């Protein structure tokens, strides 16, 4: 699989260090509180597992939820149409909620999810994404906790896929364009 990767953007160690800092930021904002963290499957799975374990060393009561949404098909651009494949069945009313996503690209997925979850009357609702590609935004959306701001290149690894492949790479790399062109 390494042959399909152009350059490695973030090594495993760099990701780990950044997540430690993000966990401290989150803890500072929610210290002593209960926070429902919603992992957006499948891309955020690897990030979610590492982030919640960093939070495990801090003073925070973390609850796990999983949602599965699809907006991509198997290409490299969002269709704009978001489909909830699996919803959560825990009420969010009066809870602090953090949505954990792999990457904010067009913003379609998270702006849709934010609207949907806000209707469930959480006490607060924030977005945590490992990666942000602001240059690709089609709708106005800002993450509250962002790991790395990246350029407009198609990335894989550490949860991110191309046609369901490469999710289990330990690093985040730029996929060679010839793979998807
Ligand atoms: P958005 O709705 O356009 O913001 O897209 C969000 C989703 O697109 C993410 O959850 C990813 O699954 C996918 N995505 C966006 N950019 C990339 C990328 O560079 N590599 C892999 N998946 C991506
Ligand atoms: Mg995805």
């Amino acid at each position: 699989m390494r042959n399909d990767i152009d350059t490695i953007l973030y090594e495993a160690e760099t990701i780990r260090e950044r997540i430690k800092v993000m966990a401290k930021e989150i803890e500072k904002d929610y210290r002593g509180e209960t926070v429902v963290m919603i992992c957006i499957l499948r891309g955020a799975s690897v990030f979610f597992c590492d982030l919640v374990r960093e939070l495990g060393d801090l003073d925070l009561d973390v609850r796990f939820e999983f949602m599965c949404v699809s907006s991509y098909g198997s290409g490299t651009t969002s269709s704009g149409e978001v489909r909830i494949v699996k919803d959560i069945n825990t009420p969010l009313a009066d809870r602090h909620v953090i949505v954990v996503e792999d990457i904010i690209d067009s913003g379609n997925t998270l702006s849709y999810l934010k609207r949907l979850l806000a209707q469930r009357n959480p006490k607060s609702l924030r977005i945590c994404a490992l990666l942000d590609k602001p240059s690709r935004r089609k709708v106005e959306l800002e993450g509250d906790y962002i790991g790395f701001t990246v350029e407009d290149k198609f990335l894989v690894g550490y949860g991110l896929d191309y046609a369901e492949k490469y999710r289990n790479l330990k690093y985040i790399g730029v996929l060679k364009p010839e793979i998807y062109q």
Side-chain angles (χ1 to χ4, degrees), residues 18-165:
R18 181 68 190 118
I19 291 176
K20 271 190 192 159
V21 175
M22 294 176 84
K24 286 191 185 121
E25 270 179 67
I26 292 172
E27 196 241 9
K28 185 167 63 67
D29 294 346
Y30 297 90
R31 188 167 297 154
E33 303 270 2
T34 298
V35 184
V36 179
M37 302 199 57
I38 306 180
C39 172
I40 307 304
L41 297 171
R42 291 179 288 270
S45 55
V46 180
F47 171 46
F48 182 84
C49 289
D50 284 345
L51 178 65
V52 293
R53 282 181 295 180
E54 283 303 331
L55 288 168
D57 290 337
L58 306 174
D59 178 21
L60 210 66
D61 172 10
V62 173
R63 308 294 170 91
F64 288 14
E65 293 292 342
F66 298 89
M67 264 178 112
C68 187
V69 306
S70 98
S71 67
Y72 247 64
S74 60
T76 61
T77 50
S78 171
S79 63
E81 182 194 318
V82 183
R83 207 161 48 88
I84 305 291
V85 179
K86 179 201 174 297
D87 202 343
I88 58 174
N89 42 31
T90 308
L92 297 178
D94 224 24
R95 314 297 296 274
H96 290 295
V97 175
I98 300 179
V99 178
V100 181
E101 183 48 311
D102 51 0
I103 185 166
I104 313 176
D105 189 46
S106 70
N108 281 325
T109 306
L110 281 170
S111 75
Y112 175 86
L113 272 178
K114 237 186 142 170
R115 251 178 292 130
L116 179 86
L117 296 173
Q119 289 166 6
R120 302 180 189 180
N121 303 313
K123 191 184 279 179
S124 67
L125 178 59
R126 284 190 177 166
I127 305 282
C128 174
L130 181 62
L131 302 165
D132 187 10
K133 269 190 210 169
S135 63
R136 297 254 309 171
R137 214 64 104 246
K138 291 208 183 82
V139 294
E140 205 178 303
L141 183 105
E142 248 183 82
D144 300 284
Y145 305 99
I146 298 294
F148 304 101
T149 300
V150 295
E151 287 172 36
D152 182 9
K153 293 200 172 118
F154 199 77
L155 308 176
V156 294
Y158 200 74
L160 295 156
D161 73 306
Y162 171 65
E164 296 306 323
K165 216 173 148 181

